[in-house]
Amino acid sequence: MIAACSEKTAPPGPKFKGRLLFLSGDEAAGKDLMELTAGPNDTFNYTTLASGVFEAASSPDQSQLLYSTKTELQLRDLGTGGVKSPVKGQGYCLAWAPDGKHFSYKQRSESSIKLFASNLEGNAKQVWEERSADKQPVSQSAATDISGCAYWVAPDKLIFDTFGPSQKKGGDVKPNTTTVATVSDSVKLVDAEKKWSVEGICKTGNAILRSQDQGMILIARNLESIKTVNPVSGPCSGCRFVGFAAQSCVPFFIEENTRDSSELFSLNPTNWQRQRGAHIGQPFSLNAKMLINSSTRLMVAGDAPSSLLLVDTESGDITSLSAKPNAQLTSPVPIVWLEKN
């Protein structure tokens, strides 16, 4: 007897657990802050938590979410759902200190862009002020803020780019540099010649950089003492950094193989050795935003126009998270993944 042929069934994709908070909607009008949870029979539940949100950032311990609306910055307790408004006025470039006790943000007026550091009660101090060269009003578009966003390198230290002519109350510092600001009782600035830009900093201090001259990825252990930073070469020339795994600080990267596939891999954070990666049967746009869970096995990727995917970082298997009846996600941006309900 000849055994009957049967088609091989595709293995089921990875299963989503926990809570995912993400943004979806029109960038100009402000997006919806939404929560996704797993439902019965491989379905998903969606809840809209807030509307008119322009940007959001989770605290390092994933207990709080800071987000910006047109009129204020709001702080949401991710355990209780309670919301308070520590800062008035629209902000952007939201970032958290590694201890979760302070955050930074930028605000613009008709004539300048200012960088602030604040505690959770909204007691803020100005770190930096950038003015246009001819003293005319700066652009109202965040995309033209050439200084970029600030990153925290310690509980009391911020790193950011400065471009001239720029001013801070109390005197100017050199333009076209990388600057570390210590924000304790007063603000103290230390400059270094600008040779790279920051792409990501983990709460342990590990930093992923991009060299300005060759565009290569670099890695540094710590950026607190900026004048003595000596970064090492990264894992590849054509890959891009997609993020650190939550809590564990394992860095992940993507290499585009062809127009229809990509390779996802990580580095051992102790010796920066490349770990075995996963082949993914699709590429991702340069605007794709990704989250890696703390076990470093699963990734959520949001990509335009409506793709929200769960990816197994070892097998490359994919599950779509955006299949909601009678609804369409728009340019979803994953913000924080709470792995326990």
Side-chain angles (χ1 to χ4, degrees), residues 13-141:
K15 302 292 185 180
F16 179 82
K17 296 181 179 180
R19 301 160 54 198
L20 174 70
L21 272 66
F22 66 99
L23 300 179
S24 175
D26 179 59
E27 192 77 39
K31 294 174 175 282
D32 290 331
L33 174 63
M34 304 185 70
E35 180 178 270
L36 178 150
T37 56
N41 302 319
D42 297 326
T43 61
F44 305 103
N45 300 318
Y46 295 78
T47 303
T48 300
L49 304 179
S51 297
V53 176
F54 292 94
E55 187 177 331
S58 167
S59 62
D61 65 358
Q62 300 183 322
S63 66
Q64 300 187 81
L65 185 71
L66 179 70
Y67 56 94
S68 172
T69 69
K70 194 172 184 179
T71 58
E72 60 190 2
L73 296 185
Q74 296 188 344
L75 196 59
R76 175 180 290 268
D77 187 306
L78 294 179
T80 66
V83 177
K84 62 181 182 179
S85 303
V87 176
K88 298 301 181 183
Q90 184 177 347
Y92 64 102
C93 280
L94 311 180
W96 284 86
D99 62 1
K101 296 180 180 180
H102 293 83
F103 58 85
S104 59
Y105 60 95
K106 282 187 169 183
Q107 286 185 331
R108 58 171 40 84
S109 66
E110 291 185 353
S111 59
S112 68
I113 294 174
K114 297 179 180 180
L115 170 65
F116 294 94
S118 173
N119 62 15
L120 302 187
E121 285 68 47
N123 299 317
K125 62 180 61 179
Q126 181 180 315
V127 178
W128 180 255
E129 181 178 12
E130 179 180 327
R131 293 181 177 272
S132 58
D134 55 5
K135 306 303 182 183
Q136 296 300 311
V138 296
S139 168
Q140 295 301 301
S141 170

Side-chain angles (χ1 to χ4, degrees), residues 66-333:
L66 179 70
Y67 56 94
S68 172
T69 69
K70 194 172 184 179
T71 58
E72 60 190 2
L73 296 185
Q74 296 188 344
L75 196 59
R76 175 180 290 268
D77 187 306
L78 294 179
T80 66
V83 177
K84 62 181 182 179
S85 303
V87 176
K88 298 301 181 183
Q90 184 177 347
Y92 64 102
C93 280
L94 311 180
W96 284 86
D99 62 1
K101 296 180 180 180
H102 293 83
F103 58 85
S104 59
Y105 60 95
K106 282 187 169 183
Q107 286 185 331
R108 58 171 40 84
S109 66
E110 291 185 353
S111 59
S112 68
I113 294 174
K114 297 179 180 180
L115 170 65
F116 294 94
S118 173
N119 62 15
L120 302 187
E121 285 68 47
N123 299 317
K125 62 180 61 179
Q126 181 180 315
V127 178
W128 180 255
E129 181 178 12
E130 179 180 327
R131 293 181 177 272
S132 58
D134 55 5
K135 306 303 182 183
Q136 296 300 311
V138 296
S139 168
Q140 295 301 301
S141 170
T144 61
D145 182 355
I146 59 175
S147 291
C149 297
Y151 294 83
W152 291 82
V153 297
D156 62 343
K157 287 185 173 67
L158 280 164
I159 188 170
F160 57 97
D161 294 334
T162 54
F163 292 87
S166 300
Q167 295 181 349
K168 178 191 177 297
K169 187 176 180 181
D172 291 352
V173 300
K174 294 184 300 183
N176 304 318
T177 63
T178 299
T179 300
V180 168
T182 301
V183 287
S184 51
D185 295 334
S186 60
V187 176
K188 299 178 181 179
L189 304 175
V190 176
D191 296 332
E193 183 180 350
K194 184 173 175 56
K195 297 180 180 178
W196 37 256
S197 59
V198 178
E199 296 212 343
I201 299 177
C202 192
K203 63 180 182 179
T204 60
N206 291 344
I208 305 299
L209 313 173
R210 179 78 65 172
S211 67
Q212 288 191 318
D213 51 355
Q214 298 177 337
M216 296 181 62
I217 287 179
L218 305 172
I219 304 173
R221 288 290 183 190
N222 194 291
L223 299 181
E224 287 188 55
S225 301
I226 191 171
K227 291 187 176 182
T228 60
V229 172
N230 186 26
V232 299
S233 297
C236 56
S237 58
C239 63
R240 58 190 171 103
F241 173 65
V242 298
F244 290 102
Q247 312 302 326
S248 67
C249 287
V250 174
F252 276 77
F253 302 82
I254 274 188
E255 277 184 308
E256 304 295 346
N257 284 340
T258 65
R259 293 183 178 179
D260 57 3
S261 69
S262 52
E263 295 288 332
L264 177 72
F265 66 92
S266 64
L267 299 184
N268 184 321
T270 60
N271 58 16
W272 306 128
Q273 293 300 305
R274 180 167 172 163
Q275 307 299 293
R276 184 175 63 87
H279 179 80
I280 303 173
Q282 74 166 66
F284 295 93
S285 77
L286 295 177
N287 295 321
K289 304 298 183 183
M290 305 174 188
L291 292 178
I292 315 288
N293 71 358
S294 61
S295 63
T296 72
R297 290 182 57 89
L298 296 176
M299 174 179 78
V300 170
D303 207 353
S306 60
S307 173
L308 189 62
L309 305 173
L310 181 65
V311 181
D312 189 309
T313 64
E314 294 185 348
S315 68
D317 294 336
I318 296 175
T319 296
S320 173
L321 300 177
S322 53
K324 181 183 179 184
N326 304 319
Q328 181 76 22
L329 301 181
T330 303
S331 301
V333 180

